[in-house]
Amino acid sequence: IVIPLLATILGGFKSTGELRVSPFGIPQSWEFEFYGEILSDVNFWRYLWNSFLISILTVFLTVLLGSMAAYAFAQVRFFGSEFLFSYMLLGLMFPFAAAIMPLFLTVRDLGLLDTPWGVVLPQVAFGLAFSIMFFRTFFSQMPEELFEAARVDGCGYIKFFFLFTLPLSTPILATIATFVFVQSWNNYLLPLIMLNDRDGYTWTLGAMDYRGEYTAEWNRTLAFVSATLAPAVVFFLAAQKYIVAGL
């Protein structure tokens, strides 16, 4: 895992000739112009902001809707609950790429093309099966005596969910949020289909601007990738303690 990441970071400090001769070695002469050019570019920060906005909205909606649905499956007994839960899990077996055409037509008919919601809502829909499965397993292990004690004090399902279930579910919330954030941050296919306006590009689409017009300048591309991977790595490291506890 470390070798390709290290090669990517160091590749942004190498000249084109040195990158071809020694792609995995330490740079003999450190070239800082590529990182400086990218960090001073307004487009870089716009791509970063677009990706951050889409990822945060995706995380918020996926965690909120997934936890609420999983709470109903875990704590509420109603007719057809097992069938509905199994139906939701079918999303884990459904390949995302197979739905590109109907997904594009639906987003177009809703007037959401070239907007962040055209990327956010499909990501939330395809991420719910994964989050509901994890949340339901976690919620079903919570002691029933806790809910019975709260119900005696007049606490209903909704109030119990927001006042007790969510505060006690910090590890699983952080685990799901991290997985969803990283997946959304690195998503390439969905923004490629839904976003045509360059001002709305995410960083995965914006990487094409740094390849060069006629030849591929891989040192500039690697510098761009290294700079854009930093937020996802920082987010992962910050939530690592909760991820381990959740798993």
Side-chain angles (χ1 to χ4, degrees):
I1 296 174
V2 173
I3 290 176
L5 287 177
L6 194 60
T8 302
I9 297 172
L10 294 178
F13 293 103
K14 299 178 181 179
S15 63
T16 303
E18 186 180 359
L19 186 61
R20 291 176 178 175
V21 175
S22 177
F24 298 102
I26 303 295
Q28 295 181 356
S29 60
W30 295 79
E31 305 284 346
F32 293 95
E33 59 176 309
F34 302 112
Y35 280 100
E37 175 187 348
I38 290 170
L39 294 177
S40 61
D41 190 359
V42 177
N43 292 329
F44 167 76
W45 295 105
R46 184 171 68 245
Y47 298 149
L48 218 61
W49 165 251
N50 293 336
S51 294
F52 181 76
L53 178 63
I54 290 174
S55 299
I56 289 297
L57 290 175
T58 302
V59 168
F60 175 77
L61 291 177
T62 303
V63 168
L64 179 64
L65 298 177
S67 60
M68 293 175 70
Y71 175 76
F73 285 127
Q75 300 293 338
V76 183
R77 297 293 178 263
F78 59 93
F79 176 76
S81 61
E82 292 297 328
F83 172 78
L84 286 176
F85 179 70
S86 300
Y87 179 75
M88 294 294 296
L89 292 186
L90 286 176
L92 293 172
M93 299 186 292
F94 191 74
F96 176 79
I100 283 297
M101 182 56 69
L103 197 59
F104 172 80
L105 297 177
T106 302
V107 172
R108 183 198 62 183
D109 295 340
L110 293 174
L112 298 178
L113 286 179
D114 286 330
T115 66
W117 293 109
V119 180
V120 171
L121 295 180
Q123 288 186 153
V124 172
F126 278 89
L128 280 178
F130 172 80
S131 61
I132 289 175
M133 180 183 66
F134 270 77
F135 277 127
R136 186 192 187 226
T137 304
F138 189 87
F139 292 160
S140 61
Q141 296 175 355
M142 298 184 67
E144 295 183 3
E145 293 80 5
L146 186 63
F147 177 73
E148 293 175 357
R151 186 166 52 185
V152 170
D153 293 336
C155 184
Y157 284 106
I158 298 178
K159 190 175 181 181
F160 181 80
F161 172 74
F162 285 104
L163 295 183
F164 293 94
T165 304
L166 285 185
L168 293 174
S169 306
T170 303
I172 193 65
L173 289 173
T175 302
I176 298 298
T178 304
F179 278 115
V180 173
F181 181 88
V182 174
Q183 185 178 17
S184 174
W185 185 266
N186 293 329
N187 198 343
Y188 173 76
L189 181 59
L190 191 60
L192 178 67
I193 301 299
M194 302 301 175
L195 302 176
N196 297 314
D197 186 6
R198 188 171 293 274
D199 291 336
Y201 274 10
T202 59
W203 78 265
T204 51
L205 300 181
M208 301 298 295
D209 290 345
Y210 296 90
R211 287 193 59 191
E213 186 175 358
Y214 302 106
T215 59
E217 298 181 56
W218 291 111
N219 39 18
R220 298 176 76 242
T221 304
L222 293 177
F224 177 81
V225 171
S226 300
T228 48
L229 283 179
V233 174
V234 171
F235 187 86
F236 179 83
L237 293 177
Q240 185 178 18
K241 178 178 65 174
Y242 300 102
I243 294 174
V244 174
L247 293 178

